[in-house]
Amino acid sequence: MPLTCREMRLTCREVRLTCREVRLTCREVRLTCREVRLTCREVRLTLKGKRCLFPFGLHCTGMPIKASSDKLQRELKQFGFPPQFEEIQVHEVHETAASEPTIVDKSKGKKSKATAKAGGFKFQWQIMRSLGLDDEEIKQFTDSNYWLDYFPPATKRDLQRVGLHVDWRRSFITTDRNPYYDSFVRWQFLRLKQRDKVAFGKRYTIYSPKDDQPCMDHDRASGEGVAPQEYTLIKMRVVELPSALAAIPSVTQHPVYLVAATLRPETMYGQTNCWLGPDIVYVAVLSRQEEVFVCTRRAATNMAYQAILKEENVVNPLGELKGHQLMGVKLSAPMTSYSVIYTLPMLTVKDDKGTGVVTSVPSDSPDDFAALTDIKNKPALREKYGITEEMVAVEPVPIIDVPEYGSLSAPSICQTMGIKSQNDKDKLVEAKEKVYLKGFYEGVLIVGEYSGKKVQDVKKVLQDVLVKNNEAVMYQEPEKLVVSRSGEECVVALCDQWYLKYGEPQWRQRAQCALDNLNTFHDEVRKNFEYTLDWLKEYACSRTYGLGTKLPWDESWLIESLSDSTIYMAYYSVAHFLQRNFDGSTGNEYNIKAEQMTPEVWDYVFCQTDKLPKTQIKADVLQKMRREFEYWYPVDLRVSGKDLIQNHLTYYLYNHCAIWPEQPQRWPQGIRANGHLLLNSEKMSKSTGNFMTLADALDKYGADAMRLALANAGDSIEDANFETSVADSAVLRLWTFVELVKELLAEMPKMRTDESLNVSDKMFLAEMDLKIRESDENYSGLLFKEALRTSYFEYSNLFHQYRERVAVQGGLHEKVVMRYLDTQVRILSPICPHVCDHLWQSLLGNQISVMRVKWPEAAQPDHVLVEASSYLADISHTFRLRMKSAMANKNKKGAGAAKVSEKPSHGTIWVAKTYPEWQSCILAKMEQMSMQNGNQLPDNKTISKTLGGVPELKKYMKKVMPFAQTVRERVSIKGDLAFRNTVDFDEAQIISESIDYLRDTLELEFLEVKWTDSCEDERIKSDVIPGEPYMTFATAPHVMIRLVNPVVHSALFSYTVAIFDQDTVSRISARMVRQEKAVKPSMKICLYRYVDPVLGSRVIPNMNSVLAGTEPVLESDIFTLQDDGVYVAGKPVGEKLLFVVASS
């Protein structure tokens, strides 16, 4: 994403003060990754010298606040004050599964959002009480304006505690409560209408009968993202009225039809029967065509709002009857080859999808085939519902030829999968997924006028034929259950409404152009945008209930919540000129009135024209406002939820293209979509207790530990996972980090300050340069989990590794440690700003905040040193495992013998200068093959054949292909470097310079490095390769001596230590430090030998003279082993030595 010092502008998806957020409130806002992620990026860009604008608005538009305040009013009226609620069982709302194969949306849960957030409370008053509000205060929330006064300041307080770097001068609320923003939205819509982007007419939309208006996404308690689903209503005429229908006088006067909703009208050629639910309640209703339709009441309600029924917007059934009363009814169905078909029972028919009437096509539907087979094979079931054999004497009709499955795809797949009956539910689901979509997209019709044509090409044509012949009606209903904020199930209605003409070709082309130049950070996000642009058409932008801005040309309508917030980011650029508080009620320093912000003024400010408008606002103020907009726009980054790609974020692209059609430089530059937030791998829900508010997290963990856990929650667009264990550990980690800084600063005077750096110093400096660069890339890509890994976890681990290495190489170097502390605080500050700022100023002594310093400079990392450091870490780990294995193998020898674990004391590291000749030959041949094959290795068969023809490899044939496969794997990681015969650094030198560290970490007494060409072991010569040294171990002769501390009141007692030939006091002291935790490296150990080694240790000690009868062992004295005994300076030691800690 191209950035300049002044063109970086960060925005955040506005906090929506909706009923769902109100339930959380700013004190109880759910944990969100978005805000912390934005702050991380904003801080990093500040460190990079960028000027960043990060504003934060509060979106109050829509039904939720109004619906909640109205609920409180009703509850107050019904239950008194304070209200006394009766105990009512709360039933969770579950979405109905689709009847046809669909793409699963992983972002959707089974529980509705309202259910999850309400926490089991039925009444709005109870929800408010759960937030800690008392009854007197709740009473004030019956006025929707009080919500707008109460929550914005509380939101600001909590977000400030998080450490959001927000320019709060620019914060505002939406709706006509804020006259300045109201004026801005009215201007936007006037220009949209002027540019022919808004129209009026009847459109299918999700509709709330109770609220008597369209129900858009953010007006819903459940079903966000659900759209109308189009069906074809197949009219199956009742040939002979059953008694239940004949008993209804008004029914007999009209033709009667059972109407079945289908997504596949082209399959009607294959109808064999009709399914009804025996226990479902059906209604008979009169259509506009004076025909009686039999269906469920739910379907009839949808029809009433789509001008299908005689009476609009109301269902007055002619009669009501159960499904079992309609069994065995003779029907005449369109297009089928059977002259009559019959109604049959199917227990799995549901009344919450379609019409409750299901037409049966067993040739292409596995469910229909299994059900028809069942009823044919179950005489008792037929008898129960009065079904005769004649009624089921039908066979599947071949109508569509489907590749792989033939012309009877359902019977074919049922036979293949062993499906015997309707009870094989899982298999039937799988079977449907296999044949349904394949039949539609690849199937070819083999009957009727359009025989030979692809199914997908004739579906619409056949649908039109059915409707034209009065054999079908077009019908729509919600794809899934939608419940409005008022608590009522929504329908699809054909409404008069104002709508935005999304999908219009020229507008669509501009939106595509904007998307093509947009940084989406993830391919999946781009694909979702592409998919949305393909299907998104006209969108209703008006409603009559709720809070918001009135349409400027028709004030009987309000602009809905997803339409008044598509270019609000432009308002941020000038908000601080117009308002001092959230709603603009306190005016501004320029005395600009809302009514002065005319469309012409907005045109000038937002670069629609260069001509200054006629206004009382001073010209220099207008010019300042315009410059502010030009300075910050476009929006470089918008961060929002992935569920908004299908609506709000796509509208955001469309509207920018509409308002600035000839100024693509004003169009959005980047959108980062993220998933929802899980808590400990589960969806948050008050009703299950798996719930945490922002205030809860801040109180429990503090801001920085919470932010660290949020950064660690995940980087993809999959749902992020906030783990309380990570937050808990973060508290300890940050405390430990602060203590480490104090400890290192205290140790500074003792650190090395010489100009020369050893190899460990150089390796750590190179590793810091690498991690600083990697962290910069991760922050730039908004990969905060990766940034946390490289800027903190790995960075601190590398320091501790460095500290361990130099402990035996003269200690830490002051310059290197200061470089670490300086850079660690800077690169971690985007995630943990409070702790880092404390360290930066209070401990490191800097005068300005870490927020105002630049990102650390990092030289091009020396990859040879980095690789050498990694090599050293790898071989030390490998050698430890090798030593453990050697000891285990030693213990296995001698069955039945006492197993005494004896650690090796000496080691030899064998290093190969080059690969053995046979392996060098393979490398050369494989490199040659790769070059001849376009820099790509051929398949293993070709490699095996080529290498098998090399005479030098004949005696190694069993080893050739395993090694070749290893080389192939290395090539996939390192590329052509894998063919090199040596490594990039001097292995022997690296090991030699770190020999003290390796000897110390392996707890050996002696360690040496040798080349493999000097080894007598042929196996080591042939198997050891560059980059993978081998180590052999040995245990030198030694004698165990007891070292006793005679000093009273000391925490040091007696220890048994091995004494080797040629040992010194310093080596024995180092051995004690390694073996015994109580003996510290800072202690200076002095050894004493009994003058009489035989009687000395047996004499009762004199506490006044604990060293009586001994003599000191000098630092220069050498220990030797003679005749199974220990001697020092030629004198016998005996079984015991005394030691004391010398005073400093």
Side-chain angles (χ1 to χ4, degrees), residues 10-245:
L10 297 177
T11 65
C12 170
R13 177 188 177 189
E14 61 279 16
V15 171
R16 301 184 187 278
L17 293 178
T18 62
C19 126
R20 60 172 190 259
E21 280 77 19
V22 165
R23 288 180 178 131
L24 303 172
T25 78
C26 345
R27 285 183 289 172
E28 292 209 325
V29 173
R30 280 194 181 181
L31 291 170
T32 167
C33 293
R34 291 193 295 275
E35 287 77 3
V36 171
R37 283 176 170 172
L38 282 165
T39 305
C40 290
R41 183 177 176 83
E42 194 267 349
V43 170
R44 190 194 71 85
L45 287 161
T46 301
L47 293 172
K48 297 287 286 184
K50 309 291 184 182
R51 289 186 177 181
C52 309
L53 174 59
F54 178 20
F56 200 100
L58 298 108
H59 193 222
C60 311
T61 307
M63 285 178 57
I65 294 175
K66 179 65 174 169
S68 296
S69 63
D70 287 353
K71 280 183 184 178
L72 291 173
Q73 290 177 25
R74 291 193 297 269
E75 290 165 11
L76 198 60
K77 186 175 181 179
Q78 183 178 358
F79 299 105
F81 180 79
Q84 301 297 318
F85 299 109
E86 55 196 78
E87 292 297 325
I88 296 180
Q89 179 80 22
V90 179
H91 298 285
E92 292 180 353
V93 179
H94 293 272
E95 293 180 350
T96 305
S99 60
E100 304 296 351
T102 55
I103 298 172
V104 177
D105 184 351
K106 291 186 284 186
S107 72
K108 304 294 183 186
K110 291 185 178 179
K111 282 185 181 178
S112 73
K113 291 181 181 179
T115 301
K117 294 176 181 177
F121 299 118
K122 179 170 181 63
F123 298 103
Q124 184 68 37
W125 204 285
Q126 293 174 321
I127 295 169
M128 305 299 281
R129 281 175 176 169
S130 75
L131 304 181
L133 300 171
D134 59 41
D135 288 331
E136 285 294 338
E137 189 162 25
I138 295 173
K139 191 175 182 180
Q140 298 181 73
F141 284 95
T142 56
D143 178 2
S144 58
N145 280 310
Y146 188 71
W147 298 67
L148 309 187
D149 294 328
Y150 181 87
F151 286 109
T155 300
K156 180 179 176 180
R157 284 195 300 272
D158 275 358
L159 295 180
Q160 284 177 325
R161 287 183 64 196
V162 176
L164 247 61
H165 292 262
V166 164
D167 183 350
W168 293 106
R169 299 174 305 155
R170 301 171 190 261
S171 295
F172 59 87
I173 63 171
T174 62
T175 76
D176 54 8
R177 169 71 180 274
N178 181 348
Y180 297 99
Y181 188 78
D182 183 69
S183 167
F184 165 73
V185 175
R186 290 168 70 89
W187 162 77
Q188 175 192 351
F189 268 76
L190 282 170
R191 293 298 171 255
L192 289 173
K193 189 171 188 296
Q194 183 184 69
R195 295 168 188 179
D196 196 28
K197 305 302 181 186
V198 185
F200 187 78
K202 289 189 179 295
R203 291 293 178 273
Y204 288 104
T205 187
I206 305 294
Y207 189 87
S208 169
K210 185 172 184 178
D211 300 317
D212 193 26
Q213 69 167 9
C215 186
M216 300 297 104
D217 275 2
H218 283 221
D219 299 330
R220 302 173 188 176
S222 69
E224 188 172 342
V226 174
Q229 173 69 64
E230 182 182 86
Y231 290 89
T232 307
L233 281 187
I234 304 299
K235 296 164 61 177
M236 296 176 284
R237 182 163 185 167
V238 178
V239 178
E240 297 176 5
L241 288 179
S243 58
L245 282 172

Side-chain angles (χ1 to χ4, degrees), residues 342 344 372 375-376 382 387-394:
Y342 294 89
L344 302 177
L372 185 60
I375 202 165
K376 283 184 177 183
R382 296 201 304 271
I387 304 300
T388 66
E389 286 193 22
E390 176 193 0
M391 296 176 183
V392 296
V394 291

Side-chain angles (χ1 to χ4, degrees), residues 952-1127:
E952 294 89 337
L953 300 178
K954 293 296 183 184
K955 60 187 278 190
Y956 303 102
M957 285 313 297
K958 288 185 178 180
K959 298 180 180 181
V960 167
M961 282 313 295
F963 179 71
Q965 182 60 33
T966 300
V967 174
R968 178 187 287 279
E969 292 170 0
R970 288 177 180 165
V971 168
S972 66
I973 299 172
K974 296 185 175 183
D976 292 343
L977 293 177
F979 298 123
R980 295 183 60 173
N981 206 21
T982 60
V983 293
D984 292 332
F985 52 89
D986 188 331
E987 287 185 75
Q989 181 183 349
I990 292 295
I991 294 174
S992 297
E993 291 183 12
S994 305
I995 200 75
D996 292 335
Y997 160 71
L998 289 171
R999 183 176 60 242
D1000 191 65
T1001 192
L1002 295 171
E1003 298 182 356
L1004 295 173
E1005 302 305 324
F1006 181 79
L1007 186 61
E1008 61 180 343
V1009 186
K1010 291 186 177 181
W1011 296 108
T1012 53
D1013 55 12
S1014 66
C1015 183
E1016 297 179 358
D1017 189 328
E1018 289 298 325
R1019 184 178 62 84
I1020 292 178
K1021 273 187 176 181
S1022 63
D1023 289 351
V1024 177
I1025 61 175
E1028 296 181 16
Y1030 186 76
M1031 189 169 188
T1032 55
F1033 299 97
T1035 303
H1038 60 274
V1039 174
M1040 305 303 294
I1041 293 291
R1042 195 156 63 96
L1043 301 182
V1044 179
N1045 179 18
V1047 179
V1048 296
H1049 308 306
S1050 170
L1052 303 179
F1053 302 101
S1054 64
Y1055 310 101
T1056 301
V1057 178
I1059 306 295
F1060 293 88
D1061 194 44
Q1062 301 301 307
D1063 255 343
T1064 62
V1065 173
S1066 60
R1067 290 178 62 180
I1068 295 171
S1069 299
R1071 198 170 301 134
M1072 290 177 68
V1073 170
R1074 286 198 303 268
Q1075 290 181 200
E1076 310 296 340
K1077 290 184 178 180
V1079 183
K1080 305 300 181 185
S1082 58
M1083 295 178 178
K1084 177 174 176 57
I1085 304 296
C1086 297
L1087 300 182
Y1088 292 84
R1089 183 189 75 88
Y1090 284 106
V1091 176
D1092 185 341
V1094 178
L1095 293 178
S1097 60
R1098 292 176 170 79
V1099 174
I1100 297 175
N1102 180 355
M1103 293 299 100
N1104 294 321
S1105 181
V1106 293
L1107 296 177
T1110 68
E1111 63 181 19
V1113 180
L1114 304 178
E1115 290 284 345
S1116 58
D1117 288 345
I1118 303 297
F1119 288 80
T1120 57
L1121 303 184
Q1122 301 176 29
D1123 302 326
D1124 296 328
V1126 179
Y1127 290 78

